Amino acid sequence: MESVVVRGVSIERNQAKGTVDDVPDRPGIAAKIFGDIAAANIVVDDIIQTVSDDNTANISFTVEHGDLGDIKPVVERIVKELGPSTRATYNGDLAKVSVVGVGMRVHTGVAQRMFKALADAKVNIQNITTSEIKISCIIDKENGPKALQIVHDAFELGNTK
């Protein structure tokens, strides 16, 4: 089973991203942000946080495109509570292309192969999330179908060898 590095690719076409920049880096902030979002009954998919040397963090997350209008007032309220330097941005025209395979746990180069295939096709990656059996890239929605085919071909998933 683990000899099959990538078993499949998928696309989620209706993704939106929120990013909160210059969040104070202290315990409880992420819990507050995602607690308020959960209380608004909004499902969050991918979450990425990076911490800077200046004790601030940037947090990006994806939701279904249809939830973008609902999430904005929640996030804007949190941004005001966190202080004048904290700000939020949104992008509603995104897709997520993913590769999945149990074999990724024991094989190197899967991420590089996916990223190179997308780069060669001039598809820009906005966010990357991984687990031991999945790599997902957030991209512009208009590139979604092309990116799906490119990644599919890069892993030779249509070949019956």
Side-chain angles (χ1 to χ4, degrees), residues 54-118:
D54 65 354
N55 294 321
T56 64
N58 297 330
I59 301 174
S60 291
F61 54 89
T62 58
V63 297
E64 288 289 322
H65 183 271
D67 290 333
L68 188 58
D70 295 331
I71 206 164
K72 283 182 179 181
V74 175
V75 172
E76 293 302 324
R77 185 180 70 249
I78 295 165
V79 164
K80 285 181 185 171
E81 292 173 14
L82 293 176
S85 65
T86 304
R87 64 193 176 286
T89 57
Y90 309 92
N91 185 337
D93 295 318
L94 302 172
K96 177 168 63 171
V97 175
S98 303
V99 294
V100 180
V102 174
M104 292 179 5
R105 295 183 308 172
V106 294
H107 288 86
T108 62
V110 177
Q112 183 276 335
R113 185 188 236 178
M114 180 180 190
F115 303 158
K116 183 169 182 346
L118 292 171

Side-chain angles (χ1 to χ4, degrees), residues 30-73:
K32 166 72 173 145
I33 292 169
F34 294 103
D36 287 5
I37 291 171
N41 204 31
I42 300 168
V43 176
V44 173
D45 190 11
D46 295 328
I47 300 170
I48 300 169
Q49 175 177 299
T50 57
V51 178
S52 301
D53 291 338
D54 65 354
N55 294 321
T56 64
N58 297 330
I59 301 174
S60 291
F61 54 89
T62 58
V63 297
E64 288 289 322
H65 183 271
D67 290 333
L68 188 58
D70 295 331
I71 206 164
K72 283 182 179 181

Side-chain angles (χ1 to χ4, degrees), residues 10-17 45-46 62-65 91-98 114 118 123-129 135-148:
S10 66
I11 186 168
E12 295 176 40
R13 288 180 172 85
N14 294 310
Q15 296 284 294
K17 178 176 73 169
D45 190 11
D46 295 328
T62 58
V63 297
E64 288 289 322
H65 183 271
N91 185 337
D93 295 318
L94 302 172
K96 177 168 63 171
V97 175
S98 303
M114 180 180 190
L118 292 171
V123 174
N124 189 46
I125 301 170
Q126 294 190 28
N127 281 17
I128 301 166
T129 56
I135 302 169
S136 297
C137 296
I138 301 298
I139 60 172
D140 287 336
K141 185 177 182 176
E142 68 185 27
N143 289 323
K146 174 175 84 169
L148 180 67

